[in-house]
């Protein structure tokens, strides 16, 4: 079945075309029993292609990206300052501080990426909670919220390298060992806003002065055309499973209980065969299992021998 799907794919001759990231945004939330607050959010992110990077930049010293087309690799560099002010009423802030001391804290990050394809999955989101062992102390977060501290640090917030598949899934690299760690800073001036400062200097990644969230994205190519869009939506494995289920269902409907059927179509006369079948059921009903077995094997021998089958179904 898989070979049939692959043959369909190859015969349709869908051409893979680049499917780069057109837009990116990053969000950082903190959640307690008292609710969820968005601390940092930015949509001010630049997208740099492999060719736009300086020759001195080495974003892949372990050579994890060597197997990918350089045209599919982009570096997303975001500004450190949030693109929105932090407008949280004081009473809400105080209630949230109370919940920090009385419940567990959960910190989440999310990347939202937009591409042109596949249709229906142009926007994808990758969200994950920070491991509890890497969370800051609740007293540190409380200190920043009430103004006694200016920042708190979080380690291993998120992976730095992602792969966006042709079917629209976001997956971090399995070899990823260089997670992002950052300082979250709350500015108190005429207005309040958060900043996200990556601890590791990002100049080595080509981001220059942009010290906000950063990611290396491999956006895989997608096939074009009707067949290509279908494969992009379902993936070749999804299409394979669909065919297996559909064809399997059809075969089951057509072949169910075949072992209980005695083929008799297109035979001249089946009276003698029907009489043997009736005798089998009669012997079973009377408990004559020996007679039933003899009659059953007689029927089997008839169907195994074309000569005997013609003899027993001869209308004369």
């Amino acid at each position: 079945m898989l070979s049939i799907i692959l043959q369909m794919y190859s015969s349709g001759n869908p051409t893979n075309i680049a499917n780069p990231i057109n837009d990116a945004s990053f969000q950082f939330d903190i959640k307690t029993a008292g609710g969820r607050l968005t601390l940092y959010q930015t949509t001010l992110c630049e997208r740099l292609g492999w060719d736009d990077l300086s020759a001195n930049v080495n974003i892949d010293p372990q050579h994890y990206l060597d197997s990918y087309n350089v045209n599919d690799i982009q570096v997303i560099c975001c500004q450190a300052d949030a693109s929105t002010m932090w407008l949280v009423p004081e009473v809400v802030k105080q209630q949230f501080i109370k919940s920090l001391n009385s419940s567990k804290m959960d910190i989440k990050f999310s990347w939202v990426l937009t591409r042109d394809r596949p249709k229906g999955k142009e926007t994808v989101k990758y969200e994950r909670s920070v491991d509890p062992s890497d969370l800051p102390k609740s007293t540190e977060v409380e200190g920043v919220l009430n103004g006694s501290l200016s920042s708190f640090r979080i380690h291993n917030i998120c992976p730095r390298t992602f792969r966006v598949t042709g079917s629209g899934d976001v997956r971090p690299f399995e070899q990823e060992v260089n997670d992002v760690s950052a300082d979250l800073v709350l500015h108190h001036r005429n207005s309040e806003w958060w900043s996200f400062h990556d601890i590791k200097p990002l100049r080595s990644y080509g981001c220059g002065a942009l010290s906000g969230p950063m990611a290396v994205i491999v956006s895989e190519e997608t096939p074009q055309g009707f067949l290509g869009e279908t494969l992009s939506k379902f993936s070749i494995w999804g299409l394979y499973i669909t065919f297996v289920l559909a064809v399997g269902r059809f075969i089951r409907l057509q072949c169910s209980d075949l072992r209980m059927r005695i083929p008799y179509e297109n035979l001249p006369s089946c009276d003698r065969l029907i009489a043997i079948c009736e005798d089998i059921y009669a012997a079973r009903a009377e408990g004559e299992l020996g007679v039933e077995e003899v009659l059953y094997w007689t029927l089997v021998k008839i169907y195994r021998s074309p000569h005997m089958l013609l003899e027993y179904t001869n209308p004369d």
Side-chain angles (χ1 to χ4, degrees):
M1 180 61 68
L2 181 59
S3 60
I4 296 176
I5 301 295
L6 292 173
Q7 186 174 5
M8 289 176 55
Y9 180 84
S10 59
S11 62
N13 194 26
T15 303
N16 288 342
I17 56 177
N19 193 24
I21 303 298
N22 295 328
D23 188 45
S25 64
F26 183 87
Q27 184 169 311
F28 192 86
D29 300 335
I30 184 170
K31 182 179 180 182
T32 65
R36 178 171 177 169
L37 286 178
T38 298
L39 301 187
Y40 173 86
Q41 184 180 34
T42 183
T43 56
L44 301 176
C45 300
E46 296 184 9
R47 304 174 306 280
L48 305 177
W50 186 275
D51 296 335
D52 298 329
L53 301 177
S54 170
N56 297 325
V57 172
N58 184 12
I59 65 175
D60 185 32
Q62 288 82 21
H63 303 284
Y64 295 147
L65 304 176
D66 288 351
S67 60
Y68 295 94
N69 190 329
V70 295
N71 296 324
D72 300 332
I73 304 173
Q74 293 174 283
V75 178
I76 309 297
C77 303
C78 301
Q79 292 192 13
D81 293 323
S83 57
T84 58
M85 292 186 295
W86 203 53
L87 303 175
V88 177
E90 186 64 26
V91 62
V92 175
K93 187 189 303 183
Q94 294 303 320
Q95 290 294 331
F96 191 80
I97 290 175
K98 291 180 181 179
S99 69
L100 281 173
N101 300 321
S102 61
S103 62
K104 292 183 178 180
M105 178 174 55
D106 181 25
I107 292 181
K108 293 179 178 288
F109 81 91
S110 60
W111 277 103
V112 178
L113 308 171
T114 303
R115 305 185 297 175
D116 290 335
R117 292 173 301 279
K119 298 301 181 183
K121 293 184 178 180
E122 293 89 348
T123 300
V124 295
K125 183 178 182 179
Y126 183 77
E127 184 178 60
R128 195 183 74 178
S129 294
V130 179
D131 190 272
S133 62
D134 295 317
L135 293 177
K137 296 179 180 179
S138 59
T139 54
E140 295 176 344
V141 179
E142 179 182 349
V144 174
L145 293 179
N146 62 28
S148 60
L149 296 176
S150 61
S151 66
F152 60 86
R153 176 168 293 186
I154 305 180
H155 297 278
N156 302 321
I157 299 173
C158 61
R160 199 178 292 276
T161 308
F162 297 94
R163 179 169 63 92
V164 186
T165 66
S167 57
D169 297 323
V170 183
R171 301 173 184 173
F173 275 49
E174 295 180 357
Q175 308 96 327
E176 181 69 62
V177 293
N178 189 17
D179 285 2
V180 176
S181 300
D183 290 324
L184 270 293
V185 182
L186 179 59
H187 300 275
H188 300 278
R189 296 180 187 175
N190 295 333
S191 58
E192 294 184 328
W193 75 94
W194 288 88
S195 293
F196 183 104
H197 293 283
D198 197 312
I199 296 174
K200 182 177 180 179
L202 299 182
R203 297 182 187 277
S204 58
Y205 290 92
C207 287
L210 297 176
S211 61
M214 176 268 177
V216 179
I217 307 292
V218 178
S219 179
E220 296 182 353
E221 298 177 349
T222 54
Q224 62 179 343
F226 174 76
L227 181 58
E229 290 183 2
T230 302
L231 289 173
S232 296
K233 290 181 180 179
F234 297 101
S235 79
I236 192 167
W237 284 109
L239 197 61
Y240 167 67
I241 293 173
T242 302
F243 267 80
V244 168
L245 293 178
V247 174
R249 177 65 175 169
F250 175 77
I251 293 176
R252 283 194 296 272
L253 290 174
Q254 294 297 318
C255 302
S256 60
D257 296 331
L258 277 182
R259 63 185 181 86
M260 304 296 295
R261 291 180 60 247
I262 304 294
Y264 60 87
E265 294 86 353
N266 300 322
L267 295 177
S269 176
C270 300
D271 294 341
R272 298 176 68 184
L273 298 178
I274 294 174
I276 294 176
C277 293
E278 291 175 348
D279 291 342
I280 291 175
Y281 282 104
R284 182 180 301 171
E286 295 295 332
E288 298 290 342
L289 300 183
V291 176
E292 178 189 355
E293 183 177 2
V294 172
L295 292 172
Y296 175 80
W297 283 110
T298 300
L299 192 63
V300 171
K301 290 179 181 179
I302 292 173
Y303 274 91
R304 284 180 175 177
S305 172
H307 174 73
M308 291 184 64
L309 186 60
L310 291 176
E311 180 181 347
Y312 271 78
T313 57
N314 191 336
D316 297 334

